[in-house]
Amino acid sequence: MTATFRGFRRADGRVGVRNHVLVLSLTGLTGPIAARAARDLDGVVVAGTPYGSSHMGLDRIVHERVLRGLACHPNCAATVLVSGNPKHARSFAEDLARVPGRPVHVLTLNDHGEDSTALARAIETTARGLVDTAARNARNPFGAGALTVAIKDGRSDYSIGIAGNPVLGAVVDRLIDAGATVLFGETTEWIGAEHLLAVRAATPRVAEALYAAPAKREAWAVANGLDLLDNNPGPTNIAGGLSTIEEKALGGVIKTGTRPIQGVLETAATPPGPGLWAMDTPSYAPECLTSFAAAGAALILFTTGAGNPAASLLAPTLKISARQGAPGIDVDVSACLEAGAEIGVMADRVTDRLMAVASGAPALCETLGLGQEAMPRHGPTL
Amino acid sequence: MADDGRTETLARRAHPRDPVAILLRDVPAGGRVRVQDAPDGAETLQAREAIPRGHKIALRDLPAGTALRKHGEIIGETTRAIPAGAHVHVHNLASRRARAEPAHLSTSTPGDPS
C-alpha cells in the first residue's frame, strides 16, 4: 500500500485532499442564486439546503449539524455563506470563527436589498477573491492515518458479496491499521447482521447501540406501515441469488472489515478519534454520502455491481466494481472473479488509487460533475 | 445449450470452509462446475439442475435443518435435505431472522435481537 499522500493541513488540525472555495447556501431561498453565481467559477463548489424554517426536532438538529460540517469541511479552504436569514447566518458564522484560520464570509439577501442579481454579483466577487487566496495553500506529505474515509455500497449484485465488498473490507482493515478514521452507515442494511457487528464493538455500550440504531429505524418503518423484514430480500435480490436477510446483510457488512467498532455516531456527527465508526444514517445514497461528508469524510469508497452514479460533492467518491464493463468505475476489481486474483492484490489496487486521488488525481465523479450534497430528512414538515 | 462434458462453469466460495459456492455464470443442468478458489483448482462437481449466475450450489450433501454458512457465518437453515450439486435458495433455505408474523402484530419490543 502507498503509505503517503499529499494533502492540505487545516487550522483545526484535519487534513483535506482538495482546496475548494465553498459557496454554501444556508437557506433554500438563496440556493438558486448561489448556484447561478458560482457555477462557472474554477476552484469553487456550491452546495446548500433546500430547507429553511419548516423543520422540527431531529430534522432541525441534523440540518444544523450538516450545514456546519459542510461549512468547515477539510477539503475546503474558505467558505462563502449565503442566506435569506441574517440572524441565523451571523450566529452560524460566529460559531465557525471559534476555530480561526478559515476565511468565512456572510452574504445575505437582506444586505443586498432583496436583489438576487446584486447578491449573485457579490457572491462571485467574493468567491473569486477567495480562490486567489486559497491558491497559496500547498500540499504536504501525510501518512494514510491522516485520512477520514467513508464506505458505502449501492445497486448491488451477486459480485458485491463475494468480490467488491471483501476487497473493500481488506482496504478498511489496512486503513485502520495505518491509524486512519473510517465511517460506515446505512443503518437499515445492518438488519440481519447486527450480531456480526456487535461482536466487534469496543465496549458493551457500543454493542447495544449497534442493535438500537436499526431497531429505531425499524420502528419508524412500522409506524409508517412498512415492515423491513417482510419482503426482504425483495424480488430483485432473490432473482440475483440472495436467499435470506442474513445473507443480504452479511454481504454488506463484509465491507467494514474485521477491526473493532469504536462507537455508533449520530447522523453527520464528527468522530471523536481515529478507528472504525458506525454512523446511523439513511440508506439512500445522496443522504448517506452527505452524512459522511458533513462528518468530515475526505473521501468515499463506494462498491457497486452494475454501476451507480451517486457521489458527494465535497468528498471524492471512488467507485469500485467486480463486474467487467460496468460504467463509471474508478477501480475495476473483476480480476478476483474472472482471473482468480487474490483479494489482497485487488485491495492494493484500490488503496493505490485512493492515495492518488487523495493527492489530487481526479475521481471519475469529479470529471463527470456528478457530486451533490443532499440534506438527510427524518420527519414531517410544517 | 447442451453440455458437451468439457465446458466448465466457474463458482467461487466466499470462505474456504463454506459448503456452498456462488456461480459466476449460469450453469445448465448436468453442467460441470469448477470451484475457483479451491487450493489446487481441482475441485469440480456436476450441477444437478440449472442454476443462474450469482446463485448458490451445494458443494456437499446437506441434511435438513443444517445451519448453512456463507463467508463462514450462518445465513439460514436448510428446510430439506439438499444433495451436492443442487441449487440452494429460497425453496430449501429459510431465514432464522425473518418474522413469522407481520411486524405490526409482533409483540417483540424494539431492540430485541430476535
Side-chain angles (χ1 to χ4, degrees):
Chain A
M1 173 175 160
T2 318
T4 61
F5 68 100
R6 299 183 67 80
F8 299 93
R9 171 80 74 187
R10 302 299 179 197
D12 65 3
R14 293 189 291 177
V15 176
V17 303
R18 296 291 180 266
N19 198 38
H20 300 308
V21 168
L22 171 65
V23 171
L24 183 67
S25 175
L26 298 177
T27 54
L29 207 59
T30 46
I33 303 168
R36 207 189 143 94
R39 71 181 168 200
D40 292 325
L41 301 179
D42 278 339
V44 179
V45 293
V46 190
T49 172
Y51 309 120
S53 61
S54 295
H55 46 243
M56 307 173 279
L58 183 62
D59 273 329
R60 187 170 282 261
I61 292 167
V62 171
H63 188 260
E64 200 64 12
R65 190 185 294 148
V66 168
L67 289 176
R68 194 183 194 289
L70 297 180
C72 63
H73 197 276
N75 288 354
C76 299
T79 310
V80 181
L81 301 172
V82 182
S83 177
N85 182 337
K87 188 172 165 216
H88 170 265
R90 277 184 242 290
S91 84
F92 187 95
E94 271 161 25
D95 193 45
L96 283 186
R98 291 213 199 108
V99 180
R102 172 186 301 259
V104 175
H105 291 249
V106 179
L107 296 171
T108 71
L109 201 53
N110 317 64
D111 289 342
H112 293 83
E114 312 295 329
D115 182 337
S116 48
T117 309
L119 177 57
R121 230 179 283 128
I123 294 168
E124 186 179 339
T125 307
T126 307
R128 283 190 192 279
L130 290 171
V131 168
D132 288 341
T133 314
R136 298 183 212 142
N137 296 340
R139 287 184 184 268
N140 286 300
F142 293 96
L147 286 174
T148 297
V149 178
I151 62 173
K152 192 182 182 318
D153 62 34
R155 287 172 108 74
S156 306
D157 71 353
Y158 75 94
S159 71
I160 273 217
I162 52 168
N165 278 353
V167 169
L168 185 48
V171 172
V172 170
D173 282 355
R174 289 166 190 204
L175 287 170
I176 297 299
D177 292 347
T181 308
V182 177
L183 311 175
F184 72 94
E186 308 169 85
T187 309
T188 55
E189 298 298 312
W190 310 347
I191 296 171
E194 297 97 320
H195 57 297
L196 300 176
L197 294 174
V199 77
R200 292 159 53 200
T203 68
R205 215 166 131 229
V206 173
E208 274 172 33
L210 287 163
Y211 279 103
K216 176 194 70 187
R217 288 196 183 253
E218 221 177 318
W220 288 348
V222 167
N224 281 278
L226 291 174
D227 183 350
L228 297 180
L229 288 186
D230 186 29
N231 194 37
N232 192 358
T236 310
N237 298 142
I238 289 173
L242 294 173
S243 311
T244 65
I245 193 167
E246 294 97 311
E247 183 177 12
K248 182 180 170 199
L250 174 56
V253 307
I254 286 275
K255 69 179 179 286
T256 69
T258 63
R259 301 304 190 247
I261 299 169
Q262 302 304 322
V264 181
L265 301 165
E266 289 175 359
T267 309
T270 304
L276 178 64
W277 294 85
M279 182 186 288
D280 179 21
T281 76
S283 294
Y284 192 56
E287 292 174 69
C288 178
L289 300 187
T290 294
S291 301
F292 292 147
L299 295 149
I300 301 172
L301 292 170
F302 194 125
T303 48
T304 182
N308 187 317
S312 161
L313 176 69
L314 295 190
T317 304
L318 285 80
K319 296 295 163 52
I320 301 162
S321 176
R323 283 283 293 276
Q324 273 183 334
I329 303 303
D330 293 89
V331 189
D332 174 355
V333 298
S334 63
C336 68
L337 286 187
E338 305 299 328
E342 297 275 332
I343 297 281
V345 172
M346 296 298 100
D348 283 338
R349 213 179 260 190
V350 173
T351 51
D352 286 348
R353 188 65 197 156
L354 178 69
M355 300 307 255
V357 171
S359 298
L364 262 183
C365 65
E366 296 177 286
T367 309
L368 298 172
L370 295 176
Q372 65 170 329
E373 299 306 343
M375 184 62 68
R377 283 301 305 265
H378 303 87
T381 202
L382 293 169
Chain B
M1 183 184 89
D3 176 38
D4 60 4
R6 288 188 297 274
T7 310
E8 283 186 342
T9 309
L10 288 180
R12 183 188 179 87
R13 268 179 294 230
H15 183 284
R17 287 198 302 273
D18 287 348
V20 291
I22 312 305
L23 271 304
L24 301 188
R25 298 284 186 274
D26 297 347
V27 66
R32 196 103 221 117
V33 175
R34 175 174 297 280
V35 183
Q36 184 191 53
D37 59 297
D40 52 2
E43 185 167 351
T44 67
L45 72 161
Q46 189 174 46
R48 286 179 165 260
E49 54 200 313
I51 305 174
R53 176 174 70 176
H55 290 230
K56 297 175 287 296
I57 182 170
L59 298 180
R60 52 179 182 267
D61 293 344
L62 301 166
T66 305
L68 189 80
R69 289 186 182 264
K70 182 183 171 191
H71 293 281
E73 303 292 347
I74 296 169
I75 60 165
E77 265 178 33
T78 59
T79 56
R80 55 185 92 164
I82 305 174
H87 186 195
V88 179
H89 200 27
V90 294
H91 57 288
N92 53 19
L93 181 68
S95 167
R96 287 172 159 184
R97 178 63 192 273
R99 292 197 206 283
E101 56 186 300
H104 63 279
L105 297 180
S106 170
T107 52
S108 67
T109 52
D112 174 23
S114 54

